[in-house]
Amino acid sequence: MHQGEKMVVVSGSNAGTMAGQLAETLGWAHHPLETRRFPDTEGYIRIPSETIEALRSEPVVLVSNTFPDSGIVETLLMLDAIQDVRNGRLQNLREIGPQTLPEVGKGVILAIPYFGYSRQDKRFKPGESISARAIAEMLATRCDAMVLFDLHAPAVLEAMPIPVAFTSAMPELANHLKETVDPDFILSPDKGAIERASSVAHQIGCEFSYLEKTRIDAHTIVHKAKNLDVSGKSVAIVDDMIATGGTICRAAEALRGQGAIEVHAACSHGLFTGGAIARLLRYVDGVHATGSLPNARDVISGGPALARGVYEVMDTLGLKP
Ligand code: R5P
């Protein structure tokens, strides 16, 4: 590294908050890339001239979401442009600057705070796309490693052709809940969130249980009644994501029905679709999320979790921070 230069975190239009938090945690520089939309909605990206040398001098982390769909294209375009810069392919029609430079080595890490399509992780009927795998494999052709933040079901990406780190903000979420809510009880709203939620309960040192959920459709959820020892207690429901809020509202109803006096909802990914926050606030006393997606309940930094993932893949690639 040149004297005084810092390693670089870059971002496009959809994950600037988490990129800033990661850069702050690592003590690296954060360079936002130029992103625009053409009138027909197609995207345009460009690496600013002042960022080009920084991208060539050290490993780089691109923080970008594959959500909404435009995020997939933007992520691919940014990775492609970063690879061209690192491989010294700078030819341009206006002949601005050097046209070619020597290649620099491996070191493009893609960190995805919210991996869109993560929920289609299996082929439920013949002929379906395993969307999570399809998108990850496409992105893996343009980077040297990936960091996935609180991925819904990591198993689908366990055989990727490049190193992948699965990282989680549950330690930071537990600290936040302990400091602000100090819950007596943590509830996982379904079996899928047991591991995440129980790690939070363990860190806080409080009781834990889970519900059995059956999803009838996107808006209809049935929770199997279960006796929970929550009478007079403050409970936090912990999930990986909140979309419509239906899962949390039904779980909160079950908790209130069994005497919980305070109920909070906490997640990594606050999608909050279609008025979800207003709906949630009819059932819970507080909603807590990270900023993996821009949302009004972003109170937990995802920087430390992303940094753990970046260090893990750098170590696997033999790169020194
Ligand atoms: C499902 O398995 C996920 O972990 C979440 O529980 C679910 O996606 C939340 O969706 P919603 O807020 O629409 O109920």
Side-chain angles (χ1 to χ4, degrees):
M1 181 157 44
H2 300 157
Q3 196 116 40
E5 262 177 29
K6 286 183 170 182
M7 294 202 272
V8 189
V9 175
V10 295
S11 57
S13 67
N14 63 31
T17 303
M18 287 272 288
Q21 291 171 347
L22 173 65
E24 193 185 328
T25 308
L26 293 170
W28 296 9
H30 175 205
H31 292 231
L33 304 187
E34 185 184 335
T35 60
R36 286 194 267 120
R37 294 248 147 238
F38 290 108
D40 64 359
T41 76
E42 285 180 0
Y44 165 94
I45 79 96
R46 178 175 166 265
I47 298 169
S49 310
E50 60 278 13
T51 302
I52 287 183
E53 192 44 43
L55 286 192
R56 288 180 49 81
S57 58
E58 281 297 319
V60 53
V61 183
L62 168 65
V63 184
S64 189
N65 285 332
T66 56
F67 181 89
D69 283 5
S70 55
I72 300 170
V73 177
E74 186 177 294
T75 305
L76 272 173
L77 298 182
M78 291 190 291
L79 285 176
D80 202 63
I82 292 168
Q83 291 291 4
D84 274 356
V85 161
R86 289 181 62 89
N87 290 321
R89 295 190 290 258
L90 299 169
Q91 298 92 336
N92 61 92
L93 290 177
R94 296 192 187 169
E95 298 190 339
I96 299 168
Q99 300 299 292
T100 57
L101 287 170
E103 281 184 23
V104 296
K106 276 192 176 191
V108 179
I109 298 165
L110 172 62
I112 308 181
Y114 180 70
F115 185 71
Y117 289 90
S118 59
R119 283 175 286 182
Q120 183 74 27
D121 64 332
K122 291 181 188 72
R123 182 175 292 127
F124 298 92
K125 295 180 196 160
E128 285 182 350
S129 162
I130 303 177
S131 312
R133 194 183 66 196
I135 288 165
E137 284 180 351
M138 193 164 56
L139 296 169
T141 62
R142 296 275 190 291
C143 59
D144 302 308
M146 290 202 280
V147 175
L148 291 153
F149 176 79
D150 276 312
L151 182 66
H152 181 62
V156 65
L157 301 189
E158 264 160 11
M160 293 294 288
I162 57 171
V164 176
F166 300 102
T167 189
S168 172
M170 290 302 134
E172 288 73 32
L173 189 147
N175 282 340
H176 168 83
L177 286 178
K178 177 81 188 151
E179 281 165 19
T180 58
V181 176
D182 199 11
D184 308 303
F185 198 104
I186 299 290
L187 183 79
S188 169
D190 56 29
K191 283 187 172 166
I194 287 181
E195 205 178 309
R196 266 181 254 273
S198 63
S199 73
V200 171
H202 182 74
Q203 190 176 326
I204 293 176
C206 66
E207 293 172 75
F208 168 79
S209 191
Y210 66 93
L211 293 177
E212 283 186 48
K213 173 177 93 175
T214 309
R215 183 179 282 282
I216 311 296
D217 60 40
H219 297 275
T220 318
I221 286 151
V222 180
H223 274 123
K224 197 167 158 193
K226 184 172 188 177
N227 288 334
L228 301 166
D229 180 19
V230 293
S231 182
K233 291 182 181 167
S234 164
V235 184
I237 308 166
V238 173
D239 208 347
D240 62 333
M241 68 178 82
I242 302 176
T244 63
T247 300
I248 297 289
C249 294
R250 297 292 76 79
E253 270 181 334
L255 288 166
R256 301 273 189 205
Q258 297 190 38
I261 48 164
E262 198 173 331
V263 179
H264 288 257
C267 66
S268 286
H269 309 301
L271 280 107
F272 302 132
T273 53
I277 294 187
R279 191 174 315 118
L280 283 162
L281 291 176
R282 294 205 293 271
Y283 293 85
V284 300
D285 301 287
V287 182
H288 315 251
T290 77
S292 64
L293 293 160
N295 72 83
R297 299 289 152 165
D298 167 10
V299 289
I300 302 158
S301 174
L306 279 187
R308 290 191 288 275
V310 167
Y311 281 137
E312 183 183 323
V313 292
M314 286 185 75
D315 193 44
T316 310
L317 292 170
L319 300 170
K320 292 217 164 52

